[in-house]
Structures are given as C-alpha cells and as structure tokens.
C-alpha cells in the first residue's frame, strides 16, 4: 500500500492503447503526424496560439524551458522549496550553462510579489552581480499548495514590469486546475513557457513544453536535440499526450488523486503542516507513529524531523485510501 509518490503510479490504459495505435511506420523524431499535431491540440486547450514539444522527463522540461529564457550570466528567481533548486541535481544550471538560481521565500512554498521583489531589490545593478532574467513558479507547489490565477497574474505582472520572462513548473498542473476549478488559460496568464506534467498523472514517459510565445520554440527544439532528448520514435511520446488530453482524461485523473488526498486530509486534520490543495499531504508524526503505519504495510516518505509525506495518485485504490484514513485517525 504505497503512498510514496505519484511518480510510481501505473500508466493509464488509454495511454498504452494510444501508444499501440501509434505502432506503425511514420516519420522519425518529431516529424510524425502525432507530433506535428501537438501545436494545434494545445492551442485549442489554451485558447491561443502556442507551440508544444514533447520531452521525456520533467527535469529536462524545466531545464530546457529555463535555458530558452535566461542567459548563462543571468539568474532565475524561484522559491527555496522549488524542484529546480532541490531535486534536479543542478540540471537547470547545466542546461543554462551557468545561470544562477536566486531563492525567494513565501509561506507554503508560494512566492509573493513582495518576497520576489525583496530578492531582486537586494541585488546591485552592476556588472559584478547576477541579475534576474526569469521567474519560475511551481503549480501545484512542492508542498501541495496551489497558486490561484490572481496570484500567478500578480507574479507574472511583476516579472514583466522588470523585463523578466516567466516559467511555470506544472508537474502537477492538473491537480492545481482541478482544485481551483479554473481553465488552463486562466492559470497561465502572463506565463511564457510551461512545463506541463503528464507522467505523475497517468502518462508513461512524456511531458509537454508549452510556449505561449511560439517564437521561443525553435531554440528549445535545438536545445532538446543537443541535450540528447530528441527521441527517434517521438510519436510514442506524442501519442501519450494526445491520449491524456482526449476527453479530459488528465483532469479526471487529477480529480481522483485530489479526492483521495482530501479524504486522508480529513482524517489527519490535526496533523496537517500545509493546506491540502492537490494530492500531497505533509503530516506531523512521531517516529513511533510512523512505525505503526509501516507495520501495517503503508509506504511513505520521512520528509523532515517529525514530518512525513503521503502522495496519492489517479489509481490509488479506494479501499487502501479508506484503510489508511482509518489508520491515521486511530493513531494515539
């Protein structure tokens, strides 16, 4: 009964079926019909012209995105809890050829215009200091909270006023949208490039890079090739993206994951460290209490001293969710 991460969730059967349907001879790399149709598919989703590329991992999505909007001598402002800061082994710095990550604060892993401005205003505007070139925000955040459309717009407006580009790490974008009940367009207003996550939400090996400024996409395509991520049989990645968007499967999957997390949150209300707005829960728990749950077969992460993390996913078995909720509720 595993609640370690949504990365370990099974692949949705519709994704496998789409990959099987794509198992015919077609052009290589991104010249196939499915890859070529991504721009139109994502443009329809966002209600505006975008350019969309498949990539195999979220790390490379974030890294290529940042490399297209930040010079090597520039900086990217992000939250101190950001995945690009803590969990990507320096890949953003590697792909940008040295751009510096500049860390901002904010409760529950959410930056505010004030915390972002504080970072930027502390940097003297001279040749000796790394100047901010971009702002990167994560939605849903690494602590399971979400930015509202108004919060995203406030941050992107600040960035635009200062001449920065904006990146959104949307590894769990679907979970954020389901929680907020808003449109994809509303949640990305002012964003230049989005890392649109599918693997955590029922995909197998495909994420999307969505450029709201399509002129940036050609640079990203070359960086994808140079970085070794232009797969020769790209149609299988494109097929996954199309399958997830078909009939809003990506939203249905996120809805199931969020509902499971909400049930656990109700059972663990007094233990919650952060609001549960997506599919991650961070709970106060002693080592002895954690051992009790593990003895019952539950798997989860020790996040920090006295704090554990549970993550639900689209296929979390309902019976296991019910049982875990009861087990948490009965801890002494």
């Amino acid at each position: 009964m595993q609640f370690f991460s949504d990365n370990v969730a099974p692949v949705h059967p519709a994704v496998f079926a789409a990959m099987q349907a794509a198992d015919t001879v077609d052009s290589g790399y991104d010249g196939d019909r499915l890859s070529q149709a991504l721009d139109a598919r994502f443009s329809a989703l966002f209600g505006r012209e975008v350019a969309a590329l498949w990539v195999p991992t979220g790390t490379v999505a974030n890294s290529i995105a940042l490399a297209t909007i930040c010079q090597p001598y520039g900086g990217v402002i992000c939250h101190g809890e950001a995945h690009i800061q803590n969990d990507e082994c320096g890949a953003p710095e590697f792909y940008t050829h040295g751009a510096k990550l500049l860390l901002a604060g904010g409760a529950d892993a959410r930056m505010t215009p004030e915390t972002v401005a504080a970072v930027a205003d502390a940097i003297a505007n001279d040749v000796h200091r790394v100047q901010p070139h971009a702002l990167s925000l994560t939605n849903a955040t690494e602590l399971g909270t979400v930015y509202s459309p108004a919060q995203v717009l406030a941050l992107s407006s600040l960035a635009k006023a200062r001449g920065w580009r904006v990146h959104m790490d949307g590894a769990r974008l679907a979970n954020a949208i389901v929680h907020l009940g808003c449109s994809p367009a509303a949640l990305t207003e002012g964003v230049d490039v989005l890392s649109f996550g599918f693997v955590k939400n029922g995909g197998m090996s495909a994420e999307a890079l969505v450029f709201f400024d399509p002129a940036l996409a050609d640079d990203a395509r070359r960086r994808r090739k140079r970085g070794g991520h232009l797969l020769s049989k790209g149609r299988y990645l494109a097929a996954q993206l199309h399958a997830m968007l078909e009939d809003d499967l990506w939203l249905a999957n996120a809805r199931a994951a969020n509902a499971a997390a909400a049930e656990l949150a109700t059972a663990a209300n007094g233990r919650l460290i952060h609001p549960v707005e997506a599919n991650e829960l961070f709970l106060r728990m002693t080592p002895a209490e954690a051992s009790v749950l593990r003895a019952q077969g539950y798997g989860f992460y020790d996040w920090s001293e006295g704090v554990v993390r549970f993550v639900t996913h689209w296929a979390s078995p309902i019976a296991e969710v019910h049982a875990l909720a009861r087990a948490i509720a009965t801890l002494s």
Side-chain angles (χ1 to χ4, degrees):
M1 296 180 284
Q2 302 305 316
F3 292 85
F4 282 108
S5 172
D6 40 10
N7 282 315
V8 303
V11 176
H12 195 280
V15 171
F16 276 130
M19 294 175 69
Q20 184 64 41
D23 197 25
T24 60
V25 175
D26 203 332
S27 296
Y29 303 102
D30 59 357
D32 61 278
R33 61 180 178 83
L34 292 173
S35 297
Q36 291 293 300
L38 289 177
D39 287 357
R41 191 70 182 263
F42 281 90
S43 294
L45 180 66
F46 287 97
R48 57 179 290 190
E49 182 185 3
V50 304
L53 291 66
W54 48 254
V55 290
T57 71
T59 293
V60 78
N62 289 336
S63 299
I64 290 177
L66 294 174
T68 64
I69 62 175
C70 185
Q71 294 285 349
Y73 51 83
V76 177
I77 297 179
C78 65
H79 196 279
E81 296 284 353
H83 201 271
I84 59 173
Q85 161 67 12
N86 296 320
D87 296 284
E88 295 185 345
C89 198
E93 295 93 326
F94 176 78
Y95 274 84
T96 58
H97 300 287
K100 187 173 184 177
L101 300 182
L102 306 169
L103 306 184
D108 300 318
R110 286 180 289 223
M111 297 178 291
T112 67
E114 292 74 22
T115 63
V116 170
V119 172
D121 292 344
I123 302 171
N125 187 14
D126 61 42
V127 73
H128 301 285
R129 274 76 173 181
V130 171
Q131 302 300 315
H133 283 201
L135 176 68
S136 178
L137 57 151
T138 311
N139 210 9
T141 74
E142 291 78 4
L143 297 183
T145 56
V146 305
Y147 288 97
S148 69
Q151 290 170 321
V152 172
L153 182 58
L155 287 165
S156 64
S157 296
L158 170 67
K160 300 303 182 186
R162 297 191 177 219
W164 310 335
R165 294 280 197 172
V166 180
H167 163 251
M168 180 180 285
D169 178 351
R172 296 187 175 96
L173 182 73
N175 304 92
I177 287 174
V178 164
H179 174 77
L180 294 163
C182 66
S183 69
L187 199 54
T188 52
E189 187 171 353
V191 173
D192 294 296
V193 55
L194 166 69
S195 303
F196 194 157
F198 288 91
V199 171
K200 295 180 187 297
N201 195 32
M204 187 177 83
S205 58
E207 312 275 49
L209 263 178
V210 180
F211 290 92
F212 298 99
D213 179 356
L216 294 171
D218 189 57
D219 179 73
R221 291 186 183 97
R222 296 174 190 277
R223 292 180 185 276
R224 179 176 62 173
K225 172 63 177 179
R226 186 171 185 262
H229 292 283
L230 181 60
L231 278 65
S232 61
K233 296 182 180 179
R235 62 186 180 277
Y236 296 101
L237 280 76
Q240 295 176 54
L241 302 181
H242 284 290
M244 291 291 292
L245 295 180
E246 190 70 25
D247 296 326
D248 288 337
L249 177 62
W250 65 293
L251 294 176
N253 285 358
R255 202 169 287 118
N258 283 16
E263 178 174 341
L264 296 179
T266 298
N269 185 48
R271 297 176 178 271
L272 295 175
I273 307 292
H274 307 287
V276 178
E277 298 175 343
N279 64 319
E280 293 183 279
L281 303 93
F282 296 82
L283 310 182
R284 296 180 184 88
M285 194 170 290
T286 67
E289 291 171 329
S291 294
V292 168
L293 293 183
R294 290 190 170 109
Q296 297 176 48
Y298 297 106
F300 51 91
Y301 276 124
D302 292 316
W303 189 256
S304 60
E305 186 175 356
V307 178
V308 298
R309 186 190 78 164
F310 294 86
V311 184
T312 58
H313 56 76
W314 74 271
S316 291
I318 297 302
E320 293 183 9
V321 173
H322 292 340
L324 176 57
R326 290 192 298 269
I328 292 174
T330 56
L331 287 173
S332 58

